[in-house]
Amino acid sequence: MANINTSKFADHTFDAIVIGSGISGGWAAKELCDKGLKTLVLERGRNVEHLKDYPTATKNPWDFPHRGRLSLELSEENPIASRCYAFKEDATHFFVKDKEHPYVQEKPFDWIRGYQVGGKSLLWARQTQRWSKYDFEGPARDGFAVDWPIRYDDIAPWYSYVERFVGISGNKDGVDTLPDGEFLPPWEMNVVEKAIRKRIVETYKDRHVMIGRCAHLTKPEEIHHQQGRGQCQARTLCQRGCPYGGYFSSNSSTLPWAAKTGNLTLRPDSVVHSILYDEQKGKAVGVRVVDAHTKEATEYFANIIFVNAAALNTNLILLNSTSSRFPNGLGNDNGLLGKYVAFHNYRGSLSASMDGYEDSYYYGRRPCAVMMPNFRNVHKQETDFLRGYMVFYSAGRGRSGAGPNGEQLGAAYKDALSEPGNWGIYMMMQGETIPKESNYVSLSTSEKDAWGMPLLKVSVGYDENDEKSMKDFLVQGAEMLDKAGCKNIHTNDSKQAPGLDIHEMGGVRMGRDPKTSLLNEYNQLHACKNVFVTDGACMTSTGTQNPSLTYMALTARAVDYAVSEMKKGNL
Ligand SMILES: Cc1cc2nc3c(=O)[nH]c(=O)nc-3n(C[C@H](O)[C@H](O)[C@H](O)COP(=O)(O)OP(=O)(O)OC[C@H]3O[C@@H](n4cnc5c(N)ncnc54)[C@H](O)[C@@H]3O)c2cc1C
Ligand code: SF4
């Protein structure tokens, strides 16, 4: 092969390689390094060091030329990225810009990405809920996708393990559809949220309402101090990078931890092109990397490879890893690589108002909402659509919009602005979508990016099930808000394209049978045992929960297995 720098072969050999340094890659790195493996993390984006590389973290609103909004030019240049609520003046530097990394939309798909050390862990909204036993049993019970090769009890100890390190705030609610975890003190509902909760749980015996659970240090423990992290100050400026380490990111937590072991080599600006398969050894031996700037190609070698490039990029890398043994992509004996991609349906939302409670306010900017675990089709099929949705709501007081006589100018208006306005309520869904063979990604045969990688073609859309589920949410949501005493209830279908949920999953799904899945119960490629996929690509179904906590738990579990197999000489 041309352009391969083999002169530093010895320097290029490690015990393990991790592709990607985001939420799941950071966890793979930490666990591998903690277990004594010399680990190379390859990250396509630039380096972002905790604190040092958060240029906007301590800016005031007036320090931003557009007061935090996007300039017209930036939003016109980035129609995809600017649809994401967090793509604002204070955080655009952590987002992929549309023109830099093109892809092919066979159907509309807003692919939101963060290419840098830390990946999207810098940008995420940090909501973290465990899956329940009902979620893992779902596909087998309802007859879609394939059966998960694991159950809740297999992953529960790993949730606990990850939660203690990350620091998750939450209340122990004792609800089996959203199991409790190892929680730091919870955030608090405000008076209106409590009132709505009371009326909903009194009216509906099958519905639970609880404060959100999120990766924020409400009361740091020793393990968090050891990471150099401190208490969250409730500012919700997290997408800038947190100067206190108040929320969990790879940059503030797993990567510096891994570095402290002395076993980590982090190589930013390294675009992984493909995984190298050795026909004689019958296993993967390393990766081919293209330097992000010089475009020089090189190779790195290791015993174990963890692929954590985020769901769709992991699909891309595996599809691009061809050999005579795997002409259609690494591990792709059954032709299903790239298929059964799913996501979360966020289309439905409601707004409303609540009279009264004018003597009450709340302190700070809480980084979570109130949530209701899915109550649809949990124990048996009971609607005309499969699965269900989680519901989130929050209540807050806006600014008083006008003076007592409707003034929008002058002293009376100015005085009014310093008073809180009426209570408003926002409610939204996070719906499960059903993985289908017809929702897939594949590689372009005609177009390549600047690093010689084929462009990813995305062909993922909604179906009738998603429409029915959303309509059900809008009816149920309106009824719940009405019963809770809200007024001015409005429903909305955003009609947003898939992708904007930023919870894309699948394509390299786990399963029991190598004929119908790519990965086994330890996230190991059935057909290439020393390659592990533990990001969203591995997900057999989507559940209704925010997914990243599950990626972290699956990653820690898979590393534990990989290292024990390696020590037994099986890898
Ligand atoms: C605004 C926003 C809000 C979100 N809110 C939540 C939430 O509340 N809860 C939740 O659970 N999830 C949330 N998410 C999703 C969450 O960020 C992702 O699930 C999570 O980051 C996925 O982790 P990952 O390791 O798979 O990918 P990432 O964190 O994206 O990391 C992947 C890394 O791989 C690198 N990479 C890609 N291709 C290559 C290559 N070829 N070679 C080398 N490196 C490569 C990328 O540059 C990136 O750094 C949110 C995301 C966003 C953007
Ligand atoms: S809300 Fe907490 S975690 Fe987010 S930026 Fe503020 S202090 Fe940091």
Side-chain angles (χ1 to χ4, degrees):
M1 286 187 248
N3 290 333
I4 293 178
N5 175 2
T6 49
S7 58
K8 290 186 273 179
F9 188 87
D11 301 352
H12 283 209
T13 300
F14 295 81
D15 296 325
I17 288 175
V18 178
I19 305 173
S21 63
I23 291 190
S24 63
W27 263 95
K30 171 193 172 293
E31 292 301 294
L32 289 161
C33 289
D34 266 347
K35 290 179 190 297
L37 271 66
K38 294 285 175 200
T39 303
L40 173 67
V41 174
L42 293 164
E43 166 54 54
R44 71 170 303 150
R46 70 190 166 96
N47 198 12
V48 172
E49 275 182 49
H50 183 49
L51 306 183
K52 176 173 158 284
D53 294 321
Y54 302 156
T56 56
T58 53
K59 283 196 172 175
N60 292 304
W62 51 89
D63 296 329
F64 294 96
H66 305 93
R67 301 292 181 265
R69 294 185 177 187
L70 284 186
S71 68
L72 185 60
E73 189 187 4
L74 203 59
S75 63
E76 282 177 357
E77 274 175 7
N78 295 281
I80 298 169
S82 62
R83 281 184 209 121
C84 175
Y85 70 89
F87 188 74
K88 290 283 174 315
E89 199 171 25
D90 60 350
T92 50
H93 49 287
F94 290 145
F95 281 85
V96 162
K97 311 296 176 303
D98 291 6
K99 279 195 191 127
E100 291 167 2
H101 297 283
Y103 60 101
V104 182
Q105 299 181 56
E106 290 191 335
K107 294 179 186 164
F109 188 90
D110 292 333
W111 193 11
I112 308 295
R113 293 159 289 169
Y115 289 172
Q116 60 250 327
V117 167
K120 298 195 294 285
S121 77
L122 286 164
L123 292 169
W124 70 317
R126 309 156 309 277
Q127 305 308 300
T128 42
Q129 314 94 29
R130 290 184 177 204
W131 276 39
S132 73
K133 62 180 179 175
Y134 306 105
D135 300 296
F136 287 102
E137 290 164 5
R141 194 201 70 178
D142 294 342
F144 67 92
V146 287
D147 189 14
W148 275 88
I150 57 170
R151 289 289 182 265
Y152 178 71
D153 289 345
D154 297 311
I155 198 172
W158 294 102
Y159 276 135
S160 294
Y161 178 75
V162 161
E163 284 161 348
R164 280 189 214 109
F165 189 83
V166 166
I168 306 288
S169 76
N171 186 48
K172 289 208 185 263
D173 296 292
V175 171
D176 72 348
T177 44
L178 215 56
D180 293 336
E182 313 294 325
F183 293 145
L184 303 175
W187 296 90
E188 240 199 284
M189 290 185 209
N190 63 40
V191 62
V192 169
E193 290 165 344
K194 281 183 189 158
I196 295 173
R197 173 184 188 274
K198 184 165 181 294
R199 289 178 200 157
I200 291 178
V201 295
E202 278 168 4
T203 311
Y204 304 92
K205 294 295 160 234
D206 63 338
R207 302 190 192 179
H208 304 278
V209 181
M210 49 186 78
I211 188 67
R213 299 165 180 177
C214 58
H216 283 254
L217 300 181
T218 45
K219 193 171 175 213
E221 294 183 348
E222 179 50 28
I223 187 72
H224 309 118
H225 291 310
Q226 286 171 19
Q227 296 167 39
R229 297 171 57 204
Q231 183 155 351
C232 172
Q233 310 290 312
R235 317 174 320 143
T236 57
L237 302 174
C238 318
Q239 70 283 355
R240 301 177 178 185
C242 177
Y244 310 96
Y247 75 95
F248 171 85
S249 66
S250 303
N251 312 62
S252 66
S253 180
T254 44
L255 292 175
W257 186 277
K260 270 199 274 180
T261 65
N263 292 325
L264 176 73
T265 303
L266 173 63
R267 200 179 188 281
D269 301 308
S270 302
V271 183
V272 173
H273 172 276
S274 49
I275 296 169
L276 305 167
Y277 183 78
D278 186 312
E279 315 265 335
Q280 263 146 22
K281 292 187 178 148
K283 60 184 214 171
V285 288
V287 296
R288 183 180 168 86
V289 168
V290 179
D291 186 283
H293 304 295
T294 64
K295 313 276 166 68
E296 186 190 4
T298 186
E299 293 182 346
Y300 290 94
F301 306 92
N303 249 340
I304 301 176
I305 298 170
F306 268 72
V307 197
N308 296 96
L312 299 191
N313 272 316
T314 284
N315 277 275
L316 195 165
I317 293 168
L318 292 178
L319 285 164
N320 201 36
S321 303
T322 53
S323 55
S324 359
R325 166 69 184 84
F326 294 111
N328 301 315
L330 189 66
N332 191 13
D333 284 339
N334 54 26
L336 296 181
L337 180 60
K339 296 178 180 170
Y340 295 95
V341 170
F343 55 96
H344 275 151
N345 181 358
Y346 274 110
R347 272 172 50 183
S349 67
L350 297 102
S351 61
S353 62
M354 179 78 101
D355 291 341
Y357 303 98
E358 274 144 25
D359 55 350
S360 296
Y361 201 65
Y362 43 87
Y363 172 76
R365 299 191 200 130
R366 194 186 57 203
C368 61
V370 180
M371 58 184 187
M372 299 176 65
N374 177 34
F375 51 86
R376 283 304 201 208
N377 306 316
V378 175
H379 301 102
K380 59 179 172 31
Q381 184 60 41
E382 54 201 0
T383 65
D384 66 345
F385 58 89
L386 284 170
R387 314 305 292 157
Y389 44 81
M390 259 184 83
V391 175
F392 295 90
Y393 73 80
S394 55
R397 298 188 74 170
R399 267 197 199 145
S400 196
N405 300 313
E407 298 93 333
Q408 299 222 312
L409 203 66
Y413 177 54
K414 201 171 144 214
D415 288 345
L417 283 179
S418 65
E419 294 294 323
N422 295 332
W423 285 92
I425 292 100
Y426 179 73
M427 185 180 258
M428 58 176 264
M429 70 185 289
Q430 185 166 276
E432 179 157 359
T433 72
I434 306 302
K436 299 183 298 273
E437 195 168 356
S438 53
N439 274 346
Y440 63 89
V441 294
S442 59
L443 301 187
S444 168
T445 49
S446 55
E447 289 178 276
K448 290 196 169 170
D449 69 13
W451 300 270
M453 306 269 282
L455 294 195
L456 192 70
K457 292 199 290 181
V458 186
S459 190
V460 173
Y462 293 104
D463 64 11
E464 206 190 328
N465 201 68
D466 303 323
E467 298 283 339
K468 286 182 178 167
S469 166
M470 181 197 61
K471 282 184 185 142
D472 185 73
F473 162 69
L474 292 178
V475 171
Q476 294 302 316
E479 190 186 281
M480 286 190 283
L481 290 175
D482 181 53
K483 296 242 190 268
C486 296
K487 302 269 161 34
N488 301 312
I489 301 167
H490 295 286
T491 60
N492 180 42
D493 170 5
S494 71
K495 297 200 165 54
Q496 68 184 50
L500 199 54
D501 46 287
I502 325 176
H503 291 173
E504 59 274 14
M505 294 176 233
V508 197
R509 68 182 176 184
M510 294 169 76
R512 298 180 190 277
D513 184 352
K515 290 201 189 74
T516 56
S517 62
L518 277 300
L519 302 169
N520 69 11
E521 72 271 38
Y522 289 105
N523 298 71
Q524 198 173 19
L525 276 177
H526 290 300
C528 185
K529 297 275 190 238
N530 65 333
V531 174
F532 293 78
V533 175
T534 62
D535 60 17
C538 77
M539 299 295 278
T540 309
S541 60
T542 72
T544 57
Q545 293 85 338
N546 289 79
S548 306
L549 183 70
T550 299
Y551 306 164
M552 296 191 233
L554 286 171
T555 303
R557 180 174 178 270
V559 170
D560 188 60
Y561 175 79
V563 175
S564 75
E565 284 296 286
M566 198 181 95
K567 288 191 176 148
K568 285 186 215 152
N570 294 339
L571 289 179

